[in-house]
Amino acid sequence: MTTETKSGKSPADRAMDEASIAIIEKAGRDCVDTCFSRMDTQANQCTFGKKGLCCRICHMGPCRITPKSPRGVCGADADTVVARNYLREVTGGTAAHSDHARHLVLLLKNVAQGHGGGYGIKDEKALRYTARLYKVEEAGRTNEAVALDLANLFLGEFTSQEDPLKTLKLAPAKRIGVWEKQGIMPMGVDRMIVEAMHRTTMGVDHDYKNLLLHAFRTSLADGWGGARIGSMVSDILFGTPTPVRSAANLGVLGEKTVNIVVHGHEPALSDMLAVTVNDPEIKAYAKAAGAEGVTLAGLCCTANEILMRHGVPIAGNFLQQELAIITGAVEMMVVDVQCCMPSLPEVAAAYHTEVISTADIAKTVGAAHMSFDEHDGAGSAKAILKRAIDNFKNRDPKKVFIPKAKEQMVAGFSVDAIKYMLGGTYRASFRPLNDAIIAGRIRGVVGIVGCNNPKSKTDEYTNELTKELIKQNVLVLKTGCSAIASGKRGWLTPETAIQFAGPGLREVCEAVGIPPILHMGSCVDNSRLLEATTEIVMEGGLGDDLSMVPAVGVAPEWMSEKAVAIGCYFVASGVDVVLGHPFYIGGSDNVTKFMNEETKGLFGGSFHVCDTAKEAAVRCLALLDEKREKLGINQKAERKLLDMKDRRGSNV
Ligand code: NFS
């Protein structure tokens, strides 16, 4: 059944961390297929697909563009086909983040109207701050009244037909000017998505540049619309993250506890589970079932959401979802939406694990479905937890192997938290960071984001690049599965600075008490990276636009359409993006040139493809230095400890 042991690659070629290696070996022994073995059976992947040259948009095809047949039946050439396929990917990614955000906005509206079940406004400060950002009257009004106005305003961000997104105004004025000049100011998120689908249907938009510009416009509706709104509303409903200690990797699973792994993205259910798991009734129920308690752990981005807000440990990142089940120690895996492999029920069938789907828009054959009722969130959460506990008796000790590997970590660096760490309660500000960049103690900021992909060794590129960058005094910001990769490595602690960071970065981290790699949240929270870069601009001294800040984005091991959209909104925001492997655009030289070169002139940032971490590190440093050069701050850093006095002084 499995090709795990028959493939040319050994488990150690598949992943960096010991826990994953051990469980991939176990998968082989247990004859269970995983994405790693399926990668082997999919060895001959479609080269037309890879180059973006397969068109199945109409039923005269599917057509494949080749040198001998350079046009499809309709006459579409490589440029049109590649650009249309690409725009559809960006649209898929934008839709995913934005639908996630819409659910949260609707929950906020329910809460405001008094029928939010067990949910409430956890962070009043965030609510009122956000209201002021959008000029929603808040003084002297109840939280509910403010929340209702804000929720309605946000709903308008999805449906607006003629007016650009209001959220765009959170960007620096100069950047808004760039978007206006290039004609890519997005209207409502839904409109952008519908328009993208219209423009890519047969016989509509055939100009590759026009199509690609709409890809950037749609992506802005994600990064500066859906994703940004998603993060803001999550903070209001569930609390703005602050630094919290926890642990990561499969070793967080308990030998004697009921193990429940939450997997997916939307925080509504997982947050409720994180709260309800501490209910005395649940604890007693677990004891009565013969367990020492319940271990709740997370996978992928829902893990990041409840890690940041509750310190719930992380079982792993994207490629560990099947591996978690193969430990034989998971009573239940609860999935909602996005990044959940359809293989999970089949893997679970080899053990006692129950896979429970909870979102009515996301069902999987073989998974039991327990529709999550937000109006009775606590009730739904309790029912799920009890069902998992009931399954504890079915665990087969002979099939259990929980790897020891787990590392301590600190997460929860929202922009607010970073400001506070840098400046304290009364002087919360990015000033010390800007000063450190200007003085050269910190060379720049690199956001390393995104997924794992079984095409490459899990976490290797991400971790190698991270290590090299902090050594070169680059502050690394992380989200998504890339953040989890650092957590598993034990690098999300302040001590990492002492071990690996270059002298300038180390001084700053030690003075401020932060790790040199900051875990900023889920993939939706990539909007926090834009927010942080905007804060740097607003703080002054590093240019008046995002494209001037020495900042780069990297997606080393990406696999999702969401990552495609994220890359696009970074570039449209003026931030260069390094990809560990290329988009499916290689079939068109024109499209490739547009994405990797011409965008620089239009937006101030472009895409760069670097096959190895080493190459990526060199490219990132060159890009940072290029920005430093333009700002006139590229002299050698004077080494000086950033002490409390400096930090206070710099704010005056
Ligand atoms: Ni992002 Fe999160 Fe992970 Fe990639 Fe998937 S979990 S939304 S897409 S795999 S980082």
Side-chain angles (χ1 to χ4, degrees):
M1 185 179 178
T2 180
T3 56
E4 214 62 75
T5 51
K6 289 178 200 148
S7 82
K9 283 187 175 179
S10 74
D13 295 326
R14 312 279 195 183
M16 272 199 97
D17 67 289
E18 279 171 32
S20 294
I21 295 169
I23 298 295
I24 295 170
E25 279 166 1
K26 183 174 188 289
R29 289 196 300 275
D30 293 358
C31 294
V32 173
D33 270 337
T34 64
C35 61
F36 300 102
S37 55
R38 291 190 300 270
M39 193 74 224
D40 292 340
T41 57
Q42 287 289 337
N44 297 319
Q45 289 180 325
C46 172
T47 48
F48 291 95
K50 248 184 219 171
K51 291 180 177 175
L53 285 172
C54 173
C55 182
R56 50 183 299 282
I57 272 170
C58 84
H59 286 243
M60 292 188 287
C63 296
R64 303 190 301 187
I65 308 298
T66 67
K68 280 193 181 153
S69 50
R71 288 182 183 267
V73 177
C74 73
D77 63 7
D79 297 342
T80 304
V81 170
V82 169
R84 277 198 305 219
N85 286 337
Y86 183 78
L87 172 52
R88 285 203 167 185
E89 281 197 71
V90 172
T91 305
T94 300
H97 287 147
S98 302
D99 212 28
H100 163 156
R102 185 207 320 276
H103 287 149
L104 294 173
V105 174
L106 290 171
L107 179 57
L108 180 68
K109 188 170 177 177
N110 280 332
V111 166
Q113 291 176 324
H115 36 85
Y119 296 98
I121 290 159
K122 184 121 180 243
D123 193 336
E124 181 183 350
K125 204 173 137 221
L127 169 73
R128 291 183 181 274
Y129 173 75
T130 311
R132 288 196 297 278
L133 281 182
Y134 287 88
K135 305 207 172 2
V136 169
E137 190 64 45
E138 58 88 19
R141 300 180 73 208
T142 63
N143 281 348
E144 288 68 27
V146 177
L148 185 59
D149 282 359
L150 197 57
N152 283 327
L153 185 147
F154 282 149
L155 288 176
E157 293 287 78
F158 291 89
T159 55
S160 166
Q161 300 301 309
E162 291 174 302
D163 295 325
L165 292 179
K166 293 185 169 62
T167 309
L168 299 175
K169 293 202 180 120
L170 304 182
K174 200 161 177 187
R175 183 55 23 189
I176 297 171
V178 171
W179 296 332
E180 279 169 347
K181 186 170 167 220
Q182 302 306 336
I184 58 164
M185 290 284 277
M187 313 323 181
V189 177
D190 294 355
R191 197 200 128 176
M192 290 302 94
I193 291 169
V194 170
E195 188 177 315
M197 293 309 287
H198 178 196
R199 287 168 69 160
T200 52
T201 201
M202 194 267 151
V204 186
D205 199 354
H206 303 132
D207 177 332
Y208 74 94
K209 281 193 188 177
N210 210 37
L211 285 160
L212 295 174
L213 283 172
H214 190 65
F216 286 104
R217 186 172 175 227
T218 304
S219 77
L220 287 176
D222 178 357
W224 292 91
R228 187 76 190 263
I229 291 169
S231 295
M232 287 190 290
V233 177
S234 294
D235 288 353
I236 293 168
L237 288 170
F238 311 116
T240 304
T242 52
V244 60
R245 279 198 175 266
S246 192
N249 216 342
L250 293 169
V252 305
L253 298 174
E255 295 275 358
K256 294 180 180 160
T257 54
V258 176
N259 291 308
I260 303 172
V261 178
V262 281
H263 177 20
H265 284 77
E266 287 183 18
L269 169 61
S270 52
D271 201 273
M272 193 54 90
L273 286 169
V275 173
T276 312
V277 77
N278 295 316
D279 189 314
E281 186 190 330
I282 294 297
K283 288 185 176 170
Y285 199 79
K287 283 260 152 62
E292 283 184 1
V294 177
T295 298
L296 186 69
L299 273 168
C300 287
C301 281
T302 211
N304 288 323
E305 301 276 0
I306 51 175
L307 161 76
M308 302 252 289
R309 298 191 175 92
H310 298 276
V312 169
I314 298 244
N317 47 5
F318 177 64
L319 290 185
Q320 284 173 295
Q321 54 187 286
E322 295 171 309
L323 306 185
I325 295 174
I326 295 167
T327 63
V330 173
E331 274 59 52
M332 183 180 279
M333 182 171 284
V334 185
V335 304
D336 54 31
V337 291
Q338 300 171 26
C339 300
C340 305
M341 291 185 186
S343 63
L344 293 174
E346 203 194 323
V347 176
Y351 306 92
H352 73 303
T353 309
E354 272 204 288
V355 177
I356 304 284
S357 57
T358 55
D360 292 345
I361 63 161
K363 295 187 179 179
T364 299
V365 173
H369 191 68
M370 289 177 81
S371 186
F372 177 55
D373 177 9
E374 280 175 358
H375 299 291
D376 181 24
S380 285
K382 235 178 226 178
I384 289 170
L385 292 169
K386 284 187 173 173
R387 182 164 169 165
I389 294 167
D390 289 342
N391 194 24
F392 183 63
K393 60 177 181 301
N394 297 321
R395 190 189 288 186
D396 179 354
K398 292 192 294 298
K399 289 187 178 177
V400 173
F401 170 65
I402 303 176
K404 292 263 171 298
K406 72 170 169 193
E407 293 289 343
Q408 297 303 305
M409 67 189 291
V410 181
F413 291 94
S414 58
V415 169
D416 253 16
I418 297 173
K419 266 189 185 173
Y420 172 76
M421 298 294 290
L422 289 169
T425 312
Y426 300 106
R427 286 182 180 274
S429 121
F430 267 54
R431 192 70 252 157
L433 176 63
N434 281 32
D435 287 341
I437 294 173
I438 292 165
R441 284 190 289 273
I442 291 179
R443 196 150 160 187
V445 180
V446 171
I448 307 182
V449 308
C451 330
N452 313 121
N453 187 328
K455 285 179 177 171
S456 54
K457 187 170 168 179
T458 312
D459 299 340
E460 184 179 53
Y461 190 133
T462 297
N463 283 337
E464 274 186 18
L465 174 64
T466 304
K467 194 172 171 188
E468 181 58 24
L469 288 177
I470 63 171
K471 195 170 130 200
Q472 299 293 337
N473 297 307
V474 174
L475 179 67
V476 175
L477 309 181
K478 288 217 160 180
T479 58
C481 290
S482 171
I484 299 175
S486 296
K488 286 193 286 171
R489 198 81 180 144
W491 290 351
L492 294 181
T493 62
E495 295 76 42
T496 310
I498 301 162
Q499 231 182 320
F500 300 118
L505 177 64
R506 189 168 68 228
E507 283 171 10
V508 175
C509 289
E510 285 178 348
V512 177
I514 55 171
I517 307 162
L518 300 180
H519 185 322
M520 292 187 72
S522 64
C523 249
V524 155
D525 291 330
N526 280 317
S527 65
R528 295 190 202 274
L529 302 189
L530 295 178
E531 190 190 351
T533 317
T534 305
E535 286 285 343
I536 292 173
V537 171
M538 300 304 188
E539 192 54 52
L542 288 169
D544 57 359
D545 182 28
L546 302 171
S547 64
M548 299 181 76
V549 177
V552 176
V554 190
E557 301 170 36
W558 67 277
M559 63 85 201
S560 167
E561 286 176 335
K562 292 179 285 177
V564 182
I566 292 164
C568 261
Y569 71 64
F570 269 59
V571 165
S573 300
V575 179
D576 283 285
V577 168
V578 175
L579 301 170
H581 56 103
F583 294 132
Y584 294 151
I585 58 171
S588 163
D589 290 344
N590 281 331
V591 170
T592 304
K593 189 162 178 261
F594 185 85
M595 301 300 284
N596 297 356
E597 294 171 35
E598 292 168 31
T599 43
K600 191 87 172 174
L602 301 178
F603 308 128
S606 63
F607 288 103
H608 310 256
V609 180
C610 296
D611 298 333
T612 64
K614 222 176 229 164
E615 210 187 303
V618 171
R619 184 70 61 95
C620 284
L621 293 172
L623 288 164
L624 294 177
D625 287 348
E626 189 184 298
K627 300 273 165 82
R628 297 183 64 84
E629 197 66 44
K630 279 194 188 141
L631 287 165
I633 55 168
N634 207 17
Q635 321 85 355
K636 198 148 178 49
E638 176 204 345
R639 287 194 54 195
K640 182 173 176 290
L641 186 71
L642 184 74
D643 60 16
M644 208 41 144
K645 199 162 141 247
D646 289 327
R647 291 164 60 201
R648 290 204 187 97
S650 65
N651 251 355
V652 180

